[in-house]
């Protein structure tokens, strides 16, 4: 779920905060003055920071405990409960922002589905999550590999075939009242007579058997009138044929529906089942599925209903704009839901709610789907999550009394995070003190977390607010609001340098759009339009349709206005700027330059490809994939297109297919990018150490082909790494030195490794110092340099890493290990716990579990093992530790 849930206070205060024309005029030189001295009130409105959103997620206070509980339950639960447990695991990972782990949990729910309805729901959910990736299936098909894992399911094959015996004995022709029965019976329908085998028809159902062989009047009749049963003569002839053969052949849909209704009325289960199976494939379009679902629910047809459900789910999100589909989901009663979705109601409405929230969180559909989600909750954990989500939507719709009821229900059930909703509502009602006191109570009665202090800061006075925000950052440095508030406060105090430093702190490790937007405002206020346009072009690269200031202004429009006040760069200027930024490891600046270059007549495929490389480095995989697809669309030749297709496949885990695309490209034309891709993919996919010589040869071939210095520097760097692995240090050093000559700054790291392997630790340390001095983003450089210093410098470097990028886990592990070696067990565990609180990392959990095992804390170690295996179920060392600890459990 990517929807932003803004605070009400922000929306109320921002109604007149910003209109771009008030700040910028299109005519050059007519820019409204925004100097700090002359327009402080304007700046005040420009740099307002919204309250942090109320997140509509499941956010347990101790997510490790919850993950461990889920893992333990999965080990012993019945098969039909597993999908729901994986769905809960998905919700935990979503609250943590772990997109890859979320998808893996959804995939597990799909794989472990015990009924066809769960298979349909989770398959559709995975397909929905992978929107925009359809190209991968097409590309795999060109490699003669099928990837339709979430394609249409053969619904009928998922239901057992009815093998029940006929209701009567076909040879049973006993007499009634002393009169022998006729072998045949004639059914009269309007003016037509259809002669049938009496015993074959009686075998269709118990009612027919009783009517034709029992003590009813019809048992003595040779002609029975069925004209009043809404059955046509054609339908009766099909039924006669089915009674003889057990098959329905070449029957029109309308006739099948007619027979289905008749079969249901007379309890002809085999006939009904046959109609159900024949009708199911006909629900292939939304129109057909809407019509057929009515019949399925009316006539209790599980197969047809599941087929219609599959069509609706595969049409998400579009089908939710069709009121007929929505009405089916909204108005189904308990029996109809059982027919449509079996016992998977919670999973279905969880998916529908998710999609609807993404479309419009304030819509009536969203509210109604969430009401159903609460209604169909089967466990306390499901209920508290559903209530919290419904509370968030009610809050957005300003239905405050109902929002309060839902937040209270979630909070009472144990979802402590729902106190955020209660605090906001109390503040709206004018009781700010209650909000402050409630958060204080939550902080004092449990394990304090960053969001608790962040929320309490909203109800604090100025001094206490900053103290709470510092505590929030200390506990969870990934929260963006504290940085934004502190930066804005400093800007209002005209401390420009400190304000920029503060917002740059978080942009150094988390590329949050709202933080880029705030920094753009700072630059705008300072009239630094070159820096401002850099940030807005980075924003547009990440989100082309982004709207700023709570949707009041399109980022693209603002860029147009700002651009009137910066100098235009020629193509040569752009390349110079790109080299400068690339060599100084200024990834945001590089993104901005490429965005500007894309407006020129330059080859767009190459530029989009470089854009994708930067986005991957900035940990923006979705945007990177979008850029790769654009590179493919704008490729100037077939061999270039094949290279981009290869990278698309490689980046989505299809190494061998990526390699195949590279080879196809080379057959057409020998090019730098094709050889580079082949070398990269081969090095990753081959387990044979002897392939190093092939990789070296490929990189040498790449370097012989025309390319720019940016890419040749990368190739030289990679070639140096392969030479190091082959222990050819002199050749490796030559590669790194040559890369540095063309300003590939990252080659300092490879050269430092060479120095270290030559037992010159001081030279390695000095080489990494050069990288630190040149690189704008240098947390990784400090981390690498820590390997080459003495103990004090190592500690200082790793402390700097945590300051620059608190998401890097190695420094926490190192510090914890040092503390453990000093027999400071509690401090060592606390150091790991500090990071685990905001990052679900396998290595941190693994090390903490090992520490706890060492201290005989079996339950704590087991809990960490189970949580770690939720992050990576196949990690061999973790599995071994879990097995060992589990054997010691009392």
């Amino acid at each position: 779920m990517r929807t932003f849930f803004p605070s009400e206070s922000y929306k109320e205060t921002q109604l007149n905060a910003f209109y771009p024309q008030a700040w910028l005029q299109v005519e050059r030189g007519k820019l409204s003055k925004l100097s700090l001295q002359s327009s402080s009130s304007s700046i005040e409105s420009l740099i307002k920071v919204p309250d942090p959103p109320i997140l509509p997620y499941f956010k347990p206070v101790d997510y490790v405990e919850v993950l461990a509980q889920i893992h333990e339950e999965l080990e012993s639960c019945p098969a039909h409960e597993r999908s729901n447990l994986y769905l809960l695991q998905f919700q935990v990972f979503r609250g943590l922002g772990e997109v890859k782990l979320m998808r893996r949990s959804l995939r597990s729910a799909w794989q472990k589905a015990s009924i066809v309805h769960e298979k349909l729901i989770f398959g559709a959910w995975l397909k929905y999550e992978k929107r925009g990736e359809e190209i991968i299936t097409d590309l795999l098909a060109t490699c003669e590999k099928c990837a339709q894992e979430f394609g249409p399911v053969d619904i009928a094959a998922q239901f057992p075939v009815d093998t029940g015996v006929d209701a009567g004995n076909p040879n049973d022709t006993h007499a009634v009242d002393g009169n022998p029965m006729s072998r045949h019976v004639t059914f009269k329908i309007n003016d037509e007579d259809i002669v049938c085998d009496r015993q074959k028809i009686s075998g269709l159902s118990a009612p027919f058997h009783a009517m034709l062989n029992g003590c009813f009047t019809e048992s003595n009749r040779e002609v029975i009138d069925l004209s009043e049963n809404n059955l046509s003569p054609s339908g009766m002839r099909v039924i006669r044929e089915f009674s003889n053969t057990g098959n329905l052949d070449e029957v029109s849909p309308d006739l099948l529906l007619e027979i289905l209704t008749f079969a249901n009325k007379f309890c002809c289960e085999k006939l009904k089942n046959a109609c159900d199976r024949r009708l199911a494939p006909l629900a292939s379009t939304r129109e057909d599925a809407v019509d057929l679902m009515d019949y399925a629910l009316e006539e209790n047809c599980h197969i047809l209903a599941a087929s219609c459900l599959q069509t609706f789910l595969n049409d998400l999100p579009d089908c939710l704009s069709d009121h007929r589909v929505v009405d089916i989901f909204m108005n189904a009663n308990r029996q109809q839901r059982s027919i449509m979705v079996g016992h998977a109601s919670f999973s279905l409405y969880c998916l529908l709610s998710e999609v609807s929230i993404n479309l419009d969180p304030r819509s009536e559909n969203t509210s109604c789907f969430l009401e159903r989600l609460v209604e169909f909750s089967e466990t306390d954990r499901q209920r508290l999550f559903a209530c919290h989500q419904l509370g968030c939507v009610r809050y957005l719709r300003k239905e405050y009394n109902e929002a309060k009821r839902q937040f209270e229900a979630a909070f009472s059930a144990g979802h402590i995070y729902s106190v955020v909703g209660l605090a906001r509502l109390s503040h709206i009602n004018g009781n700010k003190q209650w909000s402050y006191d409630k958060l204080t109570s939550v902080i004092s009665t449990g394990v304090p977390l960053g969001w608790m202090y962040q929320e309490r800061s909203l109800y604090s006075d100025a001094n206490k607010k900053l103290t709470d925000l510092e505590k929030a950052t200390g506990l969870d440095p990934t929260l963006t609001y504290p940085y934004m508030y502190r930066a804005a406060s400093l800007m209002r105090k005209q401390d420009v340098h400190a304000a920029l430093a503060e917002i740059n702190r978080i942009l150094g490790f988390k590329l949050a759009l709202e933080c880029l937007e705030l920094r753009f405002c700072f630059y705008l206020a300072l009239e630094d339009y070159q820096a401002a346009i850099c940030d807005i072009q980075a924003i547009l690269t990440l989100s082309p349709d982004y709207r700023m200031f709570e949707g009041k202004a399109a980022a693209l429009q603002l860029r147009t206005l700002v651009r009137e006040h910066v100098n235009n760069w020629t193509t040569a200027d752009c390349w110079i700027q790109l080299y400068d930024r690339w060599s100084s490891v200024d990834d945001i600046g590089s993104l901005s330059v490429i965005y500007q270059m894309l407006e020129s007549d330059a080859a767009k495929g190459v530029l989009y490809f470089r854009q994708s490389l930067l986005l991957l480095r900035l940990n923006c995989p979705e945007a990177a994939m979008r850029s790769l697809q654009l590179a493919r669309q704008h490729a100037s030749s077939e061999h270039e297109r094949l290279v981009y297709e290869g990278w698309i496949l490689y980046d989505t885990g299809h190494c061998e297919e990526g390699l195949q695309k590279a080879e196809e490209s080379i057959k057409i034309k020998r090019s730098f990018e094709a050889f580079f891709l082949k070398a990269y993919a081969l090095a990753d996919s081959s387990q044979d150490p002897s392939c190093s010589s092939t990789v070296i040869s490929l990189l040498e071939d790449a370097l012989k082909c025309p390319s720019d210095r940016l890419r040749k520097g990368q190739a030289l760097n990679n070639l140096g790494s392969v030479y190091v692995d082959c222990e050819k240090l002199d050749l490796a050093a030559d590669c790194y030195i040559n890369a540095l000559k063309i300003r590939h700054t990252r080659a300092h790291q490879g050269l430092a490794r060479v120095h270290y392997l030559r037992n010159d630790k001081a030279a390695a340390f000095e080489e990494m110092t050069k990288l630190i001095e040149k690189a704008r983003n240098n947390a990784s450089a400090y981390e690498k340099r820590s390997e080459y210093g003495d103990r004090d410098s190592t500690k200082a470097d790793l402390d700097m890493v945590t300051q620059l990028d608190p998401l890097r886990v190695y420094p926490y592990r190192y510090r914890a290990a040092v503390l453990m070696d000093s027999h400071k067990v509690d401090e060592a565990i606390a150091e790991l716990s500090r990071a685990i609180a905001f990052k679900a990392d396998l290595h941190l959990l693994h090390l903490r579990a090992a520490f706890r095992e060492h201290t005989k804390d079996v339950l704590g170690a087991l809990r960490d093992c189970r949580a770690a295996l939720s992050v990576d179920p196949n990690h061999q060392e973790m599995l071994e530790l879990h097995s060992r600890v589990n054997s010691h459990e009392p």
Side-chain angles (χ1 to χ4, degrees):
M1 191 180 307
R2 302 174 180 86
T3 305
F4 179 74
F5 280 74
S7 67
E8 291 301 312
S9 61
Y10 173 57
K11 288 182 287 182
E12 297 300 331
T13 59
Q14 284 289 303
L15 291 177
N16 300 303
F18 184 81
Y19 294 93
Q21 287 78 6
W23 298 98
L24 301 168
Q25 297 179 20
V26 175
E27 296 84 11
R28 185 178 301 278
K30 295 294 184 70
L31 185 68
S32 299
K33 296 301 182 183
L34 299 177
S35 67
L36 294 174
Q37 292 77 18
S38 64
S39 191
S40 59
S41 61
S42 296
I43 294 167
E44 178 75 17
S45 63
L46 182 63
I47 61 174
K48 280 186 179 294
V49 176
D51 291 346
I54 306 175
L55 300 174
Y57 305 144
F58 179 36
K59 292 182 70 67
V61 170
D62 187 353
Y63 76 86
V64 172
E65 176 68 27
V66 176
L67 287 177
Q69 289 173 356
I70 294 170
H71 187 274
E72 183 178 11
E73 291 173 34
L74 283 168
E75 291 178 325
S76 58
C77 71
H80 69 270
E81 294 180 4
R82 286 178 185 160
S83 284
N84 273 337
L85 286 170
Y86 281 117
L87 175 56
L88 181 64
Q89 187 184 78
F90 163 84
Q91 302 293 359
V92 176
F93 286 136
R94 185 171 64 175
L96 292 167
E98 297 287 350
V99 176
K100 288 184 179 179
L101 299 180
M102 287 162 52
R103 285 195 180 182
R104 202 206 56 226
S105 295
L106 275 184
R107 180 179 289 274
S108 295
W110 174 72
Q111 290 171 335
K112 300 298 181 181
S114 61
I115 58 173
V116 64
H117 307 96
E118 289 179 338
K119 201 80 171 176
L120 297 178
I121 292 164
F122 292 115
W125 204 330
L126 283 162
K127 181 181 176 184
Y128 174 74
E129 288 288 325
K130 288 176 171 287
R131 285 168 299 159
E133 296 181 18
E134 294 83 2
I135 186 177
I136 297 166
T137 300
D138 297 337
L139 293 180
L140 287 172
T142 65
C143 300
E144 300 182 353
K145 182 175 180 180
C146 179
Q148 287 282 354
E149 61 178 339
F150 306 126
V153 174
D154 182 356
I155 300 295
Q158 305 295 315
F159 287 84
V161 178
D162 183 2
T163 57
V165 297
D166 291 342
N169 184 345
N171 299 315
D172 184 0
T173 56
H174 64 273
V176 176
D177 294 334
N179 298 318
M181 289 185 180
S182 170
R183 176 179 176 80
H184 296 96
V185 61
T186 300
F187 291 103
K188 186 176 184 64
I189 299 176
N190 300 328
D191 297 329
E192 292 194 40
D193 295 337
I194 296 94
V195 180
C196 302
D197 185 305
R198 178 182 293 270
Q199 299 311 318
K200 296 286 188 182
I201 295 296
S202 71
L204 290 175
S205 71
F208 267 125
H209 181 71
M211 178 171 60
L212 298 177
N213 294 323
C215 56
F216 292 94
T217 304
E218 288 85 354
S219 300
N220 291 320
R221 293 180 180 175
E222 294 187 5
V223 178
I224 299 173
D225 192 345
L226 290 181
S227 300
E228 302 301 320
N229 288 281
N230 296 318
L231 183 67
S232 66
S234 298
M236 192 64 226
R237 281 191 284 272
V238 172
I239 293 171
R240 177 182 62 186
E241 183 66 19
F242 181 83
S243 73
N244 291 326
T245 66
N247 295 316
L248 288 173
D249 295 323
E250 302 301 325
V251 182
S252 69
D254 288 342
L255 203 54
L256 280 171
L257 291 170
E258 179 185 304
I259 296 167
L260 172 66
T261 302
F262 180 86
N264 201 35
K265 180 177 181 179
F266 286 91
C267 305
C268 304
E269 292 304 320
K270 281 188 177 181
L271 178 59
K272 175 185 169 183
N273 185 269
C275 291
D276 201 357
R277 291 176 182 277
R278 287 297 304 275
L279 285 166
L282 302 179
S284 57
T285 68
R286 189 197 305 173
E287 290 294 325
D288 291 335
V290 167
D291 293 335
L292 290 171
M293 183 64 94
D294 287 338
Y295 281 97
L297 299 180
E298 182 68 26
E299 305 298 341
N300 195 22
C301 295
H302 294 259
I303 301 174
L304 178 57
S307 183
C308 295
L309 177 65
Q310 173 173 238
T311 299
F312 294 150
L313 295 182
N314 285 338
D315 194 25
L316 289 172
D318 295 345
C319 73
L320 293 190
S321 62
D322 189 328
H323 71 89
R324 300 169 302 167
V325 176
V326 173
D327 286 345
I328 289 171
F329 289 132
M330 295 290 195
N331 300 327
N333 59 34
R334 183 171 183 173
Q335 180 182 353
Q336 290 170 334
R337 281 198 321 277
S338 177
I339 295 167
M340 178 171 61
V341 73
H343 63 248
S345 290
F346 183 83
S347 302
L348 172 63
Y349 286 89
C350 205
L351 169 59
L352 295 176
S353 301
E354 170 109 350
V355 176
S356 189
I357 285 174
N358 287 338
L359 290 171
D360 181 3
R362 295 178 176 84
S363 71
E364 187 66 26
N365 285 354
T366 301
S367 181
C368 291
F369 283 140
L370 284 169
E371 287 175 0
R372 300 292 181 276
L373 188 65
V374 172
E375 179 185 349
F376 306 143
S377 301
E378 298 174 356
T379 67
D380 290 341
R381 291 183 299 202
Q382 289 179 348
R383 192 167 295 106
L384 65 83
F385 159 69
C387 287
H388 176 74
Q389 240 187 352
L390 180 56
C392 290
V393 168
R394 296 293 196 199
Y395 180 86
L396 278 183
R397 290 163 59 89
K398 297 189 177 181
E399 298 167 354
Y400 294 140
N401 289 335
E402 181 58 24
K404 181 180 179 182
R405 191 171 74 85
Q406 297 300 332
F407 284 135
E408 284 178 340
F411 183 77
S412 299
H415 192 240
I416 304 303
Y417 180 75
S418 295
V419 73
V420 173
L422 295 173
R424 301 287 174 95
L425 291 168
S426 179
H427 190 203
I428 288 171
N429 291 328
N431 196 347
K432 183 177 176 181
Q433 188 61 44
W434 185 93
S435 301
Y436 183 88
D437 293 343
K438 189 66 175 177
L439 267 299
T440 300
S441 174
V442 167
I443 290 169
S444 62
T445 55
V447 177
L449 297 175
W451 65 259
M452 298 175 184
Y453 284 101
Q454 173 180 269
E455 185 65 23
R456 191 175 71 171
S457 75
L458 304 182
Y459 318 110
S460 308
D461 59 34
N463 291 331
K464 288 183 178 178
K465 185 181 185 80
L466 288 172
T467 300
D468 276 349
L469 290 177
E470 286 298 335
K471 289 181 178 177
T473 299
L475 291 168
D476 185 353
T478 67
L479 297 171
T480 60
Y481 174 78
Y483 300 93
M484 294 173 69
Y485 180 86
R486 287 189 294 262
S489 297
L490 290 164
M491 196 69 176
R492 293 188 191 99
K493 294 175 182 177
Q494 302 184 26
D495 193 344
V496 176
H497 178 77
L500 289 172
E502 183 63 28
I503 200 65
N504 287 339
R505 279 177 63 194
I506 189 162
L507 285 172
F509 67 90
K510 184 175 182 179
L511 195 57
L513 290 174
E514 63 270 24
C515 295
L516 277 173
E517 179 180 338
L518 183 61
R519 191 170 72 175
F520 164 80
C521 292
F522 289 174
Y523 288 134
L524 204 60
L526 295 168
E527 301 184 46
D528 185 349
Y529 307 120
Q530 192 63 59
I533 204 166
C534 175
D535 279 349
I536 205 163
Q537 287 178 168
I539 288 171
L540 287 165
T541 300
L542 292 163
S543 181
D545 299 322
Y546 189 75
R547 297 188 67 83
M548 303 172 76
F549 310 106
E550 186 56 11
K552 292 181 179 64
L556 190 60
Q557 178 190 11
L558 285 169
R559 178 192 178 263
T560 300
L561 295 171
V562 174
R563 194 176 176 191
E564 291 296 319
H565 305 278
V566 297
N567 294 325
N568 288 324
W569 288 342
T570 65
T571 300
D573 292 333
C574 286
W575 276 108
I576 291 169
Q577 292 292 333
L578 184 58
Y579 278 126
D580 287 343
R581 284 162 172 73
W582 201 288
S583 62
S584 64
V585 197
D586 177 7
D587 294 334
I588 294 176
S590 299
L591 277 182
S592 177
V593 175
I594 289 176
Y595 185 93
Q596 191 159 329
M597 293 173 75
L598 283 165
E599 292 188 333
S600 69
D601 295 330
K604 288 183 170 54
V606 173
L607 292 172
Y608 278 122
F609 176 59
R610 279 163 171 68
Q611 189 180 77
S612 73
L613 298 175
L614 287 165
L615 289 166
L616 279 177
R617 192 183 298 162
L618 288 164
N619 195 29
C620 301
E622 291 182 3
M625 180 55 64
R626 184 174 65 243
S627 295
L628 260 182
Q629 293 185 25
L630 287 168
R632 176 179 179 265
Q633 290 174 24
H634 291 86
S636 59
S637 63
E638 184 182 358
H639 72 84
E640 184 184 343
R641 175 181 57 79
L642 286 167
V643 169
Y644 301 145
E645 289 179 354
W647 280 114
I648 289 171
L649 290 166
Y650 175 83
D651 286 345
T652 52
H654 303 284
C655 271
E656 292 183 6
E657 291 73 24
L659 189 60
Q660 183 178 330
K661 291 289 183 181
E663 290 169 347
E664 291 176 20
S665 179
I666 291 169
K667 286 178 182 177
I668 298 172
K669 183 178 180 179
R670 295 166 62 87
S671 69
F672 174 90
E673 293 298 349
F675 281 119
F676 189 92
L677 169 59
K678 185 175 180 180
Y680 208 94
L682 182 63
D684 190 41
S685 62
S686 176
Q687 302 299 318
D688 184 0
S690 64
C691 82
S692 294
S693 59
T694 306
V695 173
I696 289 170
S697 176
L698 289 168
L699 288 172
E700 288 174 342
D701 285 338
L703 288 165
K704 293 173 186 175
C705 298
S707 186
D708 59 73
R709 289 183 297 168
L710 296 176
R711 294 298 285 156
K712 289 209 169 185
Q714 183 65 62
L716 285 166
N717 196 62
N718 287 17
L719 183 57
S721 297
V722 180
Y723 279 136
V724 168
D725 291 340
C726 297
E727 299 181 354
K728 297 178 180 179
L729 299 185
D730 290 342
L731 291 173
D734 289 342
C735 287
Y736 292 130
I737 290 168
N738 287 332
L740 288 170
K741 287 178 181 177
I742 54 176
R743 300 178 66 189
H744 187 78
T745 309
R746 288 183 174 83
H748 282 296
Q749 182 168 319
L751 193 54
R753 187 182 174 198
V754 171
H755 290 315
Y756 177 74
L757 292 173
R758 288 172 170 170
N759 297 316
D760 192 346
K761 204 172 178 181
F765 187 90
E766 181 60 30
E767 200 67 44
M768 289 308 301
T769 302
K770 293 177 184 177
L771 176 55
I772 289 169
E773 291 169 350
K774 292 180 181 179
R776 184 160 183 171
N777 299 318
N778 53 19
S780 63
Y782 275 106
E783 184 173 302
K784 193 66 182 175
R785 190 176 74 171
S786 71
E787 298 177 20
Y788 309 132
D790 57 30
R791 184 163 182 156
D792 289 341
S793 64
T794 294
K795 182 181 184 304
D797 278 350
L798 292 178
D799 287 345
M800 179 60 74
V801 173
T802 299
Q803 182 180 329
L804 294 172
D805 184 355
L807 294 178
R808 300 184 79 90
V809 300
Y810 174 72
Y812 301 97
R813 294 166 59 205
Y814 176 87
R815 288 189 292 264
V818 170
L819 289 165
M820 199 67 177
D821 287 343
S822 302
H823 306 291
K824 297 177 180 179
V825 178
D826 293 341
E827 291 92 332
I829 290 175
E831 178 66 22
L832 295 172
S833 300
R834 182 160 71 102
I836 289 170
F838 59 84
K839 185 173 179 63
D841 181 79
L842 171 75
H843 303 291
L844 293 171
L845 289 165
H846 186 186
L847 191 56
R848 192 171 73 172
F851 286 178
R852 284 176 164 164
E853 181 198 27
H854 180 74
T855 61
K856 310 301 182 186
D857 180 6
V858 175
L859 293 179
L862 190 58
R863 184 169 57 249
D864 283 345
C865 286
R866 287 169 172 160
L869 288 172
S870 299
V871 174
D872 184 355
N874 301 313
H875 191 270
Q876 191 57 42
E877 290 183 18
M878 201 67 248
L879 287 167
E880 292 170 3
L881 179 59
H882 174 256
S883 176
R884 190 168 66 245
V885 173
N886 203 24
S887 67
H888 296 145
E889 185 182 13

